[in-house]
Amino acid sequence: MWNHVQTNLEESKAQEIAKVQNSLQEMQNKFEETNALLIKERENVKKVVEEAPPVIKETQVIVEDTQKIETLTAEVESLKVRKFSHTRPNLLLGEPYFKDASLSI
């Protein structure tokens, strides 16, 4: 009887070992498939990155040259005065623009 029990235990042990080996083989196959997919994906991403156009980022420029701004502002004001003096020359000389002095600016 002891031989029969030992034989059954050995058969059960062999079946369990076979199940574990099958599970291990399935896991190794899934690992290899996943690894192959990751390698393909990595190659595809690398190809896309190499073929992608460069990104051009716009940046805001802060003007710090206040002297240049002041010079240009003065020039604009000067041009406004010139334009105004050409269209209404009598005003700059202190003469009324309108014939009626009470309506002058």
XYZ file of all heavy atoms in Angstrom:
851
model
N 0.817 -1.186 0.000
C 0.000 0.000 0.000
C 0.874 1.269 0.000
O 0.494 2.248 -0.611
C -0.888 -0.036 1.243
C -1.789 1.108 1.295
S -3.032 0.722 2.475
C -3.494 2.262 2.967
N 1.951 1.213 0.712
C 2.837 2.366 0.754
C 3.376 2.675 -0.620
O 3.493 3.855 -0.993
C 3.952 2.084 1.752
C 4.875 3.257 1.926
C 6.147 3.314 1.548
C 4.591 4.508 2.500
N 6.699 4.516 1.839
C 5.722 5.295 2.439
C 3.440 5.075 3.071
C 5.799 6.593 2.920
C 3.528 6.356 3.541
C 4.691 7.119 3.462
N 3.648 1.706 -1.407
C 4.102 1.907 -2.779
C 3.041 2.599 -3.627
O 3.356 3.449 -4.454
C 4.430 0.555 -3.424
C 5.899 0.239 -3.382
O 6.680 1.131 -3.079
N 6.238 -0.988 -3.676
N 1.804 2.195 -3.408
C 0.694 2.784 -4.164
C 0.537 4.270 -3.821
O 0.337 5.111 -4.695
C -0.576 1.991 -3.851
C -1.761 2.455 -4.613
N -1.762 2.662 -5.965
C -3.030 2.754 -4.189
C -2.952 3.069 -6.352
N -3.745 3.128 -5.272
N 0.650 4.642 -2.555
C 0.535 6.031 -2.107
C 1.711 6.842 -2.664
O 1.540 7.966 -3.149
C 0.491 6.112 -0.556
C 0.597 7.557 -0.085
C -0.758 5.458 -0.027
N 2.879 6.246 -2.615
C 4.052 6.943 -3.124
C 3.936 7.164 -4.629
O 4.286 8.222 -5.133
C 5.312 6.134 -2.796
C 6.582 6.877 -3.155
C 7.829 6.105 -2.722
O 7.744 5.006 -2.157
N 8.977 6.700 -2.974
N 3.408 6.221 -5.347
C 3.214 6.340 -6.787
C 2.211 7.449 -7.086
O 2.419 8.271 -7.987
C 2.721 5.011 -7.392
O 3.624 3.974 -7.041
C 2.596 5.095 -8.888
N 1.134 7.499 -6.331
C 0.130 8.554 -6.527
C 0.730 9.942 -6.243
O 0.464 10.906 -6.959
C -1.078 8.313 -5.608
C -1.982 7.213 -6.113
O -1.905 6.829 -7.283
N -2.829 6.702 -5.233
N 1.524 10.022 -5.197
C 2.164 11.306 -4.867
C 3.121 11.738 -5.976
O 3.161 12.910 -6.353
C 2.921 11.207 -3.542
C 2.087 11.263 -2.278
C 2.962 11.022 -1.055
C 1.400 12.604 -2.159
N 3.855 10.802 -6.495
C 4.795 11.118 -7.574
C 4.054 11.551 -8.832
O 4.469 12.481 -9.522
C 5.707 9.922 -7.858
C 6.737 9.708 -6.769
C 7.599 8.468 -6.999
O 7.452 7.808 -8.060
O 8.423 8.177 -6.125
N 2.930 10.902 -9.118
C 2.127 11.279 -10.293
C 1.538 12.687 -10.106
O 1.539 13.505 -11.026
C 1.013 10.261 -10.536
C 1.496 8.957 -11.113
C 0.364 7.951 -11.300
O -0.823 8.320 -11.158
O 0.683 6.794 -11.588
N 1.033 12.949 -8.927
C 0.475 14.274 -8.632
C 1.562 15.347 -8.728
O 1.341 16.431 -9.280
C -0.136 14.305 -7.229
O -1.269 13.505 -7.146
N 2.707 15.012 -8.173
C 3.828 15.946 -8.224
C 4.240 16.193 -9.662
O 4.459 17.344 -10.068
C 5.003 15.369 -7.429
C 6.184 16.272 -7.309
C 7.261 15.624 -6.445
C 8.490 16.483 -6.367
N 9.550 15.845 -5.544
N 4.304 15.172 -10.480
C 4.671 15.308 -11.888
C 3.633 16.149 -12.639
O 3.983 16.993 -13.477
C 4.817 13.928 -12.531
N 2.337 15.953 -12.316
C 1.279 16.745 -12.956
C 1.392 18.225 -12.556
O 1.232 19.111 -13.391
C -0.097 16.185 -12.581
C -0.419 14.855 -13.242
C -1.740 14.273 -12.754
O -2.381 14.826 -11.858
N -2.137 13.144 -13.354
N 1.654 18.475 -11.287
C 1.803 19.861 -10.826
C 3.025 20.521 -11.466
O 2.964 21.681 -11.887
C 1.924 19.906 -9.298
C 0.636 19.660 -8.564
C -0.419 20.705 -8.871
O -0.097 21.918 -8.899
O -1.573 20.312 -9.090
N 4.106 19.780 -11.573
C 5.307 20.313 -12.223
C 5.010 20.636 -13.682
O 5.410 21.689 -14.187
C 6.491 19.326 -12.081
C 6.964 19.282 -10.630
C 7.639 19.704 -13.013
C 8.007 18.211 -10.337
N 4.265 19.771 -14.361
C 3.907 20.001 -15.765
C 3.032 21.252 -15.897
O 3.221 22.068 -16.802
C 3.193 18.773 -16.336
N 2.064 21.421 -14.962
C 1.208 22.611 -14.987
C 2.049 23.880 -14.788
O 1.866 24.879 -15.488
C 0.141 22.535 -13.894
C -0.979 21.580 -14.179
C -1.970 21.604 -13.013
C -3.054 20.586 -13.177
N -3.997 20.584 -12.027
N 2.946 23.861 -13.827
C 3.798 25.019 -13.550
C 4.696 25.311 -14.747
O 4.867 26.483 -15.144
C 4.622 24.802 -12.261
C 5.691 25.870 -12.112
C 3.722 24.765 -11.041
N 5.241 24.276 -15.361
C 6.092 24.474 -16.542
C 5.295 25.056 -17.710
O 5.775 25.932 -18.420
C 6.767 23.152 -16.946
C 7.877 22.738 -16.012
C 8.481 21.384 -16.363
O 7.843 20.555 -17.020
N 9.715 21.155 -15.913
N 4.042 24.570 -17.896
C 3.182 25.123 -18.954
C 2.866 26.596 -18.681
O 2.906 27.433 -19.591
C 1.888 24.313 -19.076
C 2.106 22.976 -19.756
O 3.063 22.801 -20.507
N 1.214 22.028 -19.495
N 2.552 26.900 -17.424
C 2.270 28.297 -17.062
C 3.501 29.166 -17.292
O 3.398 30.278 -17.820
C 1.835 28.397 -15.599
O 0.605 27.764 -15.406
N 4.653 28.651 -16.899
C 5.893 29.388 -17.104
C 6.158 29.610 -18.587
O 6.530 30.715 -18.994
C 7.063 28.648 -16.462
C 8.437 29.290 -16.626
C 8.453 30.678 -16.005
C 9.520 28.404 -16.026
N 5.924 28.611 -19.403
C 6.124 28.739 -20.854
C 5.172 29.776 -21.451
O 5.570 30.588 -22.281
C 5.927 27.375 -21.542
C 6.250 27.381 -23.017
C 7.701 27.748 -23.308
O 8.624 27.278 -22.638
N 7.906 28.618 -24.276
N 3.908 29.764 -21.005
C 2.931 30.760 -21.470
C 3.380 32.171 -21.084
O 3.287 33.106 -21.882
C 1.550 30.463 -20.894
C 0.864 29.266 -21.508
C -0.491 28.975 -20.856
O -1.056 29.888 -20.194
O -0.977 27.847 -21.012
N 3.853 32.325 -19.865
C 4.320 33.632 -19.410
C 5.535 34.092 -20.213
O 5.630 35.270 -20.583
C 4.649 33.594 -17.919
C 3.421 33.442 -17.038
S 3.811 33.132 -15.309
C 4.335 34.743 -14.805
N 6.439 33.176 -20.511
C 7.609 33.528 -21.314
C 7.188 33.939 -22.725
O 7.719 34.910 -23.276
C 8.597 32.358 -21.377
C 9.372 32.161 -20.100
C 10.284 30.932 -20.143
O 10.041 29.993 -20.895
N 11.323 30.949 -19.322
N 6.212 33.237 -23.304
C 5.714 33.596 -24.640
C 5.082 34.989 -24.629
O 5.333 35.803 -25.523
C 4.706 32.555 -25.129
C 5.347 31.214 -25.453
O 6.561 31.124 -25.637
N 4.534 30.174 -25.508
N 4.252 35.262 -23.614
C 3.622 36.585 -23.510
C 4.680 37.669 -23.320
O 4.581 38.754 -23.905
C 2.619 36.614 -22.361
C 1.362 35.840 -22.657
C 0.380 35.912 -21.502
C -0.866 35.107 -21.821
N -1.840 35.144 -20.722
N 5.688 37.373 -22.512
C 6.767 38.329 -22.296
C 7.480 38.631 -23.612
O 7.744 39.792 -23.930
C 7.760 37.790 -21.263
C 8.970 38.648 -21.101
C 8.918 39.818 -20.369
C 10.175 38.298 -21.721
C 10.042 40.625 -20.231
C 11.294 39.095 -21.585
C 11.234 40.259 -20.841
N 7.802 37.614 -24.372
C 8.495 37.798 -25.650
C 7.634 38.580 -26.642
O 8.134 39.453 -27.354
C 8.915 36.446 -26.229
C 10.045 35.799 -25.449
C 10.338 34.363 -25.882
O 9.743 33.896 -26.873
O 11.166 33.725 -25.217
N 6.314 38.290 -26.680
C 5.403 39.033 -27.560
C 5.360 40.508 -27.152
O 5.449 41.404 -27.994
C 3.993 38.447 -27.484
C 3.826 37.096 -28.136
C 2.437 36.506 -27.909
O 1.508 37.261 -27.530
O 2.294 35.288 -28.106
N 5.228 40.737 -25.849
C 5.172 42.110 -25.349
C 6.470 42.845 -25.632
O 6.459 44.013 -26.058
C 4.885 42.111 -23.833
O 3.671 41.412 -23.595
C 4.767 43.521 -23.291
N 7.566 42.174 -25.424
C 8.867 42.782 -25.687
C 9.011 43.128 -27.167
O 9.495 44.208 -27.515
C 9.981 41.839 -25.234
C 11.296 42.554 -25.072
O 11.329 43.740 -24.769
N 12.389 41.842 -25.280
N 8.572 42.227 -28.054
C 8.642 42.485 -29.493
C 7.768 43.692 -29.864
O 8.168 44.542 -30.666
C 8.212 41.245 -30.276
N 6.569 43.774 -29.255
C 5.688 44.929 -29.515
C 6.323 46.232 -29.022
O 6.240 47.261 -29.699
C 4.327 44.724 -28.843
C 3.419 43.671 -29.477
C 2.181 43.451 -28.596
C 3.003 44.083 -30.877
N 6.953 46.185 -27.866
C 7.618 47.387 -27.343
C 8.769 47.824 -28.239
O 8.966 49.019 -28.470
C 8.127 47.138 -25.920
C 7.059 47.070 -24.839
C 7.673 46.635 -23.507
C 6.358 48.399 -24.689
N 9.517 46.872 -28.756
C 10.621 47.210 -29.662
C 10.083 47.860 -30.928
O 10.598 48.890 -31.385
C 11.460 45.953 -29.986
C 12.242 45.530 -28.744
C 12.406 46.214 -31.156
C 12.914 44.174 -28.862
N 9.001 47.286 -31.487
C 8.388 47.880 -32.686
C 7.876 49.285 -32.387
O 8.066 50.209 -33.177
C 7.230 47.016 -33.195
C 7.648 45.837 -33.989
C 6.419 45.126 -34.543
C 6.809 43.903 -35.344
N 5.632 43.212 -35.887
N 7.197 49.455 -31.251
C 6.653 50.759 -30.880
C 7.767 51.784 -30.700
O 7.666 52.922 -31.145
C 5.833 50.635 -29.591
C 5.117 51.899 -29.191
C 4.011 52.290 -30.143
O 3.507 51.434 -30.884
O 3.668 53.485 -30.146
N 8.856 51.376 -30.064
C 9.999 52.264 -29.870
C 10.576 52.687 -31.224
O 10.913 53.851 -31.427
C 11.062 51.562 -29.031
C 12.166 52.482 -28.566
C 13.170 51.791 -27.661
N 12.533 51.202 -26.494
C 12.811 49.994 -26.018
N 13.712 49.237 -26.578
N 12.197 49.538 -24.946
N 10.678 51.744 -32.155
C 11.202 52.067 -33.486
C 10.261 53.016 -34.220
O 10.719 53.957 -34.880
C 11.396 50.781 -34.288
C 12.543 49.920 -33.802
C 12.579 48.543 -34.464
O 11.667 48.219 -35.267
O 13.520 47.776 -34.170
N 8.949 52.790 -34.088
C 7.972 53.680 -34.736
C 8.042 55.091 -34.167
O 8.004 56.074 -34.912
C 6.555 53.122 -34.578
C 6.308 51.905 -35.441
O 7.011 51.663 -36.426
N 5.324 51.107 -35.064
N 8.151 55.194 -32.855
C 8.238 56.516 -32.219
C 9.512 57.221 -32.662
O 9.494 58.413 -32.981
C 8.171 56.385 -30.680
C 8.565 57.681 -29.996
C 6.789 55.946 -30.255
N 10.605 56.491 -32.701
C 11.877 57.078 -33.127
C 11.769 57.586 -34.560
O 12.228 58.684 -34.879
C 12.984 56.032 -33.010
C 14.363 56.563 -33.252
C 15.412 55.476 -33.013
C 16.805 56.003 -33.253
N 17.821 54.968 -33.034
N 11.119 56.816 -35.419
C 10.948 57.211 -36.824
C 10.080 58.466 -36.926
O 10.396 59.393 -37.668
C 10.313 56.059 -37.598
C 10.180 56.302 -39.072
C 9.590 55.081 -39.769
C 9.404 55.332 -41.241
N 8.796 54.185 -41.922
N 8.992 58.507 -36.165
C 8.096 59.672 -36.182
C 8.835 60.917 -35.688
O 8.710 62.001 -36.263
C 6.834 59.407 -35.325
C 6.060 60.678 -35.063
C 5.952 58.379 -36.001
N 9.616 60.772 -34.636
C 10.358 61.914 -34.087
C 11.374 62.419 -35.101
O 11.542 63.629 -35.282
C 11.045 61.525 -32.755
C 12.049 62.573 -32.318
C 9.998 61.305 -31.675
N 12.038 61.514 -35.787
C 13.034 61.924 -36.781
C 12.388 62.628 -37.968
O 12.966 63.545 -38.543
C 13.817 60.702 -37.261
C 14.777 60.154 -36.232
C 15.411 58.829 -36.648
O 15.039 58.279 -37.709
O 16.281 58.339 -35.910
N 11.166 62.214 -38.336
C 10.492 62.791 -39.503
C 9.673 64.030 -39.170
O 9.264 64.758 -40.061
C 9.581 61.733 -40.142
C 10.346 60.577 -40.751
C 9.436 59.474 -41.269
O 8.202 59.573 -41.106
O 9.961 58.507 -41.845
N 9.431 64.279 -37.896
C 8.601 65.414 -37.493
C 9.331 66.722 -37.755
O 10.544 66.823 -37.577
C 8.251 65.307 -36.006
N 8.575 67.744 -38.200
C 9.207 69.050 -38.403
C 9.576 69.657 -37.050
O 8.945 69.362 -36.039
C 8.110 69.875 -39.085
C 6.838 69.216 -38.685
C 7.152 67.753 -38.511
N 10.591 70.508 -37.039
C 10.991 71.122 -35.768
C 9.905 72.079 -35.263
O 9.184 72.681 -36.052
C 12.266 71.889 -36.126
C 12.160 72.135 -37.589
C 11.390 70.964 -38.162
N 9.808 72.183 -33.970
C 8.830 73.073 -33.345
C 9.476 74.437 -33.179
O 10.560 74.563 -32.623
C 8.395 72.529 -31.971
C 7.456 73.496 -31.279
C 7.734 71.169 -32.130
N 8.794 75.451 -33.689
C 9.285 76.824 -33.561
C 8.434 77.506 -32.501
O 7.230 77.613 -32.637
C 9.205 77.579 -34.901
C 10.070 76.876 -35.940
C 9.619 79.028 -34.707
C 9.930 77.427 -37.329
N 9.086 77.929 -31.459
C 8.376 78.547 -30.355
C 8.591 80.049 -30.401
O 9.711 80.527 -30.452
C 8.896 77.979 -29.036
C 8.136 78.465 -27.839
C 8.653 77.814 -26.581
C 7.890 78.331 -25.382
N 8.408 77.754 -24.142
N 7.471 80.782 -30.387
C 7.567 82.238 -30.383
C 7.803 82.706 -28.952
O 7.207 82.216 -28.010
C 6.274 82.845 -30.913
C 6.041 82.557 -32.379
C 4.800 83.235 -32.910
O 4.354 84.233 -32.315
O 4.279 82.764 -33.917
N 8.683 83.679 -28.817
C 8.935 84.236 -27.502
C 8.684 85.736 -27.536
O 8.905 86.394 -28.548
C 10.389 83.993 -27.052
O 11.268 84.534 -28.040
C 10.674 82.517 -26.892
N 8.213 86.251 -26.439
C 7.930 87.675 -26.337
C 9.223 88.417 -26.040
O 10.005 88.012 -25.184
C 6.921 87.926 -25.221
C 6.495 89.371 -25.120
C 5.451 89.556 -24.031
O 5.151 88.648 -23.282
N 4.920 90.741 -23.932
N 9.442 89.495 -26.783
C 10.638 90.304 -26.577
C 10.245 91.542 -25.782
O 9.337 92.270 -26.148
C 11.257 90.729 -27.937
C 12.456 91.616 -27.718
C 11.620 89.513 -28.751
N 10.925 91.773 -24.689
C 10.640 92.936 -23.848
C 11.605 94.049 -24.243
O 12.816 93.866 -24.256
C 10.811 92.573 -22.365
C 9.841 91.458 -22.007
C 10.618 93.786 -21.484
C 10.027 90.908 -20.614
N 11.024 95.191 -24.587
C 11.836 96.326 -25.014
C 12.369 97.045 -23.781
O 11.620 97.462 -22.914
C 11.005 97.299 -25.874
C 11.836 98.480 -26.292
C 10.449 96.581 -27.088
N 13.676 97.171 -23.713
C 14.282 97.836 -22.565
C 14.978 99.134 -22.968
O 15.513 99.825 -22.115
C 15.279 96.887 -21.892
C 14.613 95.680 -21.278
C 15.590 94.760 -20.575
O 16.781 95.107 -20.465
O 15.155 93.696 -20.135
N 14.998 99.466 -24.238
C 15.687 100.657 -24.703
C 14.747 101.854 -24.601
O 14.135 102.277 -25.575
C 16.174 100.447 -26.140
C 17.144 101.522 -26.586
O 17.352 102.483 -25.829
O 17.685 101.391 -27.691
N 14.630 102.415 -23.405
C 13.689 103.512 -23.179
C 14.121 104.792 -23.893
O 13.268 105.568 -24.320
C 13.544 103.794 -21.672
O 14.835 104.024 -21.126
C 12.892 102.629 -20.967
N 15.404 104.993 -24.040
C 15.877 106.191 -24.734
C 15.402 106.161 -26.187
O 14.952 107.178 -26.713
C 17.394 106.289 -24.684
C 17.924 107.568 -25.317
C 19.438 107.677 -25.215
O 20.093 106.764 -24.723
N 19.975 108.783 -25.678
N 15.476 105.036 -26.838
C 15.022 104.914 -28.229
C 13.518 105.179 -28.297
O 13.044 105.878 -29.196
C 15.353 103.500 -28.737
C 14.965 103.249 -30.153
C 15.976 103.834 -31.095
C 15.710 103.348 -32.508
N 16.636 103.865 -33.467
N 12.759 104.649 -27.331
C 11.309 104.872 -27.311
C 11.011 106.351 -27.120
O 10.146 106.913 -27.815
C 10.654 104.032 -26.196
C 10.760 102.542 -26.540
C 9.196 104.417 -25.995
C 10.315 101.612 -25.433
N 11.713 106.997 -26.214
C 11.480 108.428 -25.978
C 11.822 109.248 -27.219
O 11.106 110.199 -27.565
C 12.305 108.898 -24.780
C 11.799 108.351 -23.467
C 12.743 108.631 -22.301
O 13.812 109.235 -22.516
O 12.404 108.211 -21.179
N 12.915 108.898 -27.911
C 13.306 109.605 -29.130
C 12.236 109.461 -30.203
O 11.850 110.436 -30.859
C 14.654 109.075 -29.658
O 15.631 109.216 -28.639
C 15.101 109.816 -30.897
N 11.761 108.252 -30.380
C 10.728 108.017 -31.396
C 9.416 108.714 -31.033
O 8.735 109.257 -31.911
C 10.506 106.508 -31.588
C 11.664 105.754 -32.244
C 11.412 104.256 -32.211
C 11.881 106.223 -33.673
N 9.075 108.714 -29.754
C 7.858 109.404 -29.316
C 7.965 110.899 -29.593
O 7.016 111.526 -30.091
C 7.619 109.160 -27.808
O 7.543 107.756 -27.582
C 6.338 109.819 -27.336
N 9.105 111.479 -29.312
C 9.316 112.910 -29.580
C 9.229 113.186 -31.079
O 8.660 114.205 -31.505
C 10.670 113.345 -29.032
N 9.794 112.279 -31.877
C 9.739 112.465 -33.326
C 8.302 112.406 -33.826
O 7.897 113.202 -34.682
C 10.589 111.392 -34.018
C 10.715 111.601 -35.518
C 11.639 110.581 -36.176
O 12.442 109.940 -35.482
O 11.532 110.441 -37.398
N 7.501 111.503 -33.288
C 6.094 111.398 -33.687
C 5.359 112.673 -33.314
O 4.580 113.218 -34.116
C 5.431 110.154 -33.026
C 3.919 110.198 -33.167
C 5.983 108.877 -33.636
N 5.593 113.168 -32.105
C 4.941 114.413 -31.687
C 5.359 115.572 -32.599
O 4.537 116.411 -32.958
C 5.274 114.726 -30.223
C 4.650 113.764 -29.230
C 3.133 113.722 -29.338
O 2.493 114.782 -29.496
O 2.587 112.604 -29.265
N 6.627 115.611 -32.972
C 7.117 116.658 -33.866
C 6.413 116.581 -35.217
O 6.026 117.604 -35.791
C 8.636 116.504 -34.036
O 9.107 117.369 -35.041
N 6.246 115.376 -35.702
C 5.556 115.203 -36.987
C 4.089 115.614 -36.886
O 3.538 116.196 -37.820
C 5.672 113.746 -37.464
C 7.076 113.312 -37.875
C 7.107 111.816 -38.127
C 7.532 114.063 -39.119
N 3.470 115.349 -35.750
C 2.077 115.776 -35.550
C 1.980 117.299 -35.582
O 1.074 117.863 -36.194
C 1.545 115.261 -34.211
C 1.219 113.798 -34.198
C 0.688 113.408 -32.814
C 0.430 111.938 -32.678
N -0.046 111.589 -31.326
N 2.941 117.980 -34.928
C 2.936 119.443 -34.894
C 3.124 119.985 -36.310
O 2.445 120.925 -36.722
C 4.033 119.968 -33.939
C 4.249 121.466 -34.113
C 3.653 119.643 -32.501
N 4.038 119.387 -37.062
C 4.253 119.839 -38.445
C 3.000 119.677 -39.281
O 2.632 120.564 -40.036
C 5.382 119.050 -39.101
C 6.739 119.511 -38.704
C 7.751 118.868 -39.601
N 9.015 118.750 -38.920
C 10.014 118.008 -39.324
N 9.887 117.287 -40.413
N 11.124 117.966 -38.658
N 2.359 118.534 -39.133
C 1.143 118.294 -39.913
C 0.082 119.307 -39.522
O -0.594 119.889 -40.371
C 0.629 116.876 -39.672
C -0.636 116.579 -40.451
C -1.147 115.189 -40.165
C -2.439 115.000 -40.929
N -3.182 113.856 -40.532
N -0.059 119.534 -38.228
C -1.053 120.470 -37.746
C -0.736 121.886 -38.228
O -1.621 122.631 -38.621
C -1.096 120.417 -36.207
C -2.208 121.204 -35.607
C -3.514 120.757 -35.707
C -1.961 122.400 -34.939
C -4.548 121.483 -35.148
C -2.985 123.130 -34.391
C -4.292 122.668 -34.496
N 0.556 122.250 -38.255
C 0.928 123.600 -38.676
C 0.711 123.796 -40.172
O 0.453 124.912 -40.611
C 2.375 123.902 -38.304
O 3.262 123.107 -39.076
N 0.802 122.741 -40.965
C 0.546 122.863 -42.406
C -0.937 122.981 -42.696
O -1.326 123.650 -43.644
C 1.122 121.661 -43.163
C 2.613 121.671 -43.255
N 3.319 122.630 -43.927
C 3.547 120.824 -42.741
C 4.615 122.387 -43.838
N 4.782 121.284 -43.106
N -1.765 122.373 -41.876
C -3.204 122.443 -42.129
C -3.828 123.687 -41.519
O -4.803 124.204 -42.032
C -3.919 121.196 -41.572
O -3.644 121.084 -40.185
C -3.484 119.958 -42.304
N -3.239 124.224 -40.427
C -3.780 125.420 -39.764
C -2.628 126.342 -39.363
O -2.311 126.481 -38.188
C -4.584 125.020 -38.541
C -5.759 124.134 -38.908
C -6.537 123.749 -37.704
N -7.642 122.901 -38.120
C -8.359 122.192 -37.317
N -8.116 122.221 -36.038
N -9.341 121.459 -37.754
N -1.981 126.963 -40.299
C -0.789 127.759 -39.992
C -1.055 128.958 -39.098
O -0.187 129.364 -38.332
C -0.298 128.199 -41.371
C -1.495 128.113 -42.248
C -2.341 127.015 -41.692
N -2.210 129.556 -39.152
C -2.478 130.758 -38.367
C -2.541 130.479 -36.867
O -2.277 131.360 -36.057
C -3.788 131.411 -38.821
C -3.660 131.950 -40.235
O -2.554 132.171 -40.720
N -4.788 132.157 -40.898
N -2.868 129.256 -36.479
C -2.976 128.936 -35.062
C -1.610 129.004 -34.377
O -1.502 129.405 -33.225
C -3.590 127.549 -34.861
C -5.076 127.443 -35.154
C -5.539 126.004 -34.958
C -5.877 128.354 -34.249
N -0.562 128.575 -35.082
C 0.763 128.595 -34.483
C 1.282 130.021 -34.304
O 2.107 130.281 -33.456
C 1.741 127.779 -35.332
C 1.475 126.270 -35.349
C 2.453 125.590 -36.288
C 1.583 125.691 -33.961
N 0.796 130.938 -35.118
C 1.232 132.325 -35.019
C 0.386 133.117 -34.027
O 0.565 134.310 -33.852
C 1.151 132.995 -36.404
C 2.045 132.375 -37.478
C 1.775 133.030 -38.817
C 3.509 132.517 -37.093
N -0.579 132.450 -33.413
C -1.423 133.123 -32.436
C -2.613 133.799 -33.074
O -3.360 134.492 -32.401
N -2.773 133.635 -34.365
C -3.917 134.252 -35.032
C -5.106 133.306 -34.955
O -4.934 132.095 -35.017
C -3.580 134.540 -36.493
C -2.438 135.520 -36.662
C -2.060 135.713 -38.124
O -2.842 135.301 -38.996
O -0.980 136.243 -38.366
N -6.305 133.832 -34.822
C -7.490 132.971 -34.737
C -7.728 132.258 -36.069
O -7.508 132.824 -37.136
C -8.626 133.924 -34.404
C -8.129 135.268 -34.761
C -6.637 135.246 -34.692
N -8.147 131.010 -35.970
C -8.435 130.220 -37.164
C -9.736 130.681 -37.786
O -9.865 130.742 -38.985
C -8.514 128.732 -36.784
C -8.778 127.829 -37.964
C -7.774 127.576 -38.893
C -10.014 127.233 -38.143
C -8.009 126.753 -39.971
C -10.249 126.411 -39.221
C -9.248 126.160 -40.141
O -9.475 125.341 -41.207
N -10.685 131.038 -36.934
C -11.969 131.514 -37.436
C -11.937 133.034 -37.510
O -11.189 133.689 -36.790
C -13.098 131.063 -36.482
C -13.198 129.563 -36.357
C -12.708 128.904 -35.242
C -13.778 128.809 -37.375
C -12.801 127.542 -35.124
C -13.877 127.439 -37.261
C -13.400 126.805 -36.140
N -12.756 133.581 -38.388
C -12.823 135.042 -38.505
C -13.352 135.678 -37.237
O -12.908 136.723 -36.833
C -13.677 135.445 -39.709
C -12.995 135.092 -41.003
C -13.776 135.599 -42.179
C -13.033 135.170 -43.430
N -13.581 135.732 -44.626
N -14.277 134.993 -36.587
C -14.801 135.479 -35.317
C -13.847 134.997 -34.213
O -13.735 133.789 -33.971
C -16.225 134.941 -35.112
C -16.859 135.468 -33.848
O -16.214 136.265 -33.131
O -17.997 135.070 -33.571
N -13.162 135.876 -33.553
C -12.150 135.533 -32.560
C -12.730 134.759 -31.383
O -12.019 134.010 -30.716
C -11.460 136.800 -32.059
N -14.007 134.926 -31.139
C -14.605 134.226 -30.012
C -14.733 132.721 -30.278
O -14.909 131.931 -29.369
C -15.986 134.828 -29.683
O -16.850 134.616 -30.791
N -14.628 132.304 -31.550
C -14.754 130.895 -31.883
C -13.384 130.203 -32.016
O -13.306 129.052 -32.353
C -15.515 130.744 -33.197
C -16.966 131.229 -33.200
C -17.576 131.083 -34.582
C -17.782 130.440 -32.192
N -12.317 130.925 -31.786
C -10.985 130.324 -31.976
C -10.701 129.288 -30.887
O -11.282 129.313 -29.821
C -9.913 131.409 -31.973
O -9.867 132.015 -30.700
N -9.776 128.448 -31.188
C -9.432 127.341 -30.288
C -8.485 127.810 -29.215
O -7.600 128.545 -29.375
C -8.796 126.187 -31.091
C -9.803 125.652 -32.074
C -8.351 125.102 -30.155
C -9.266 124.576 -32.981
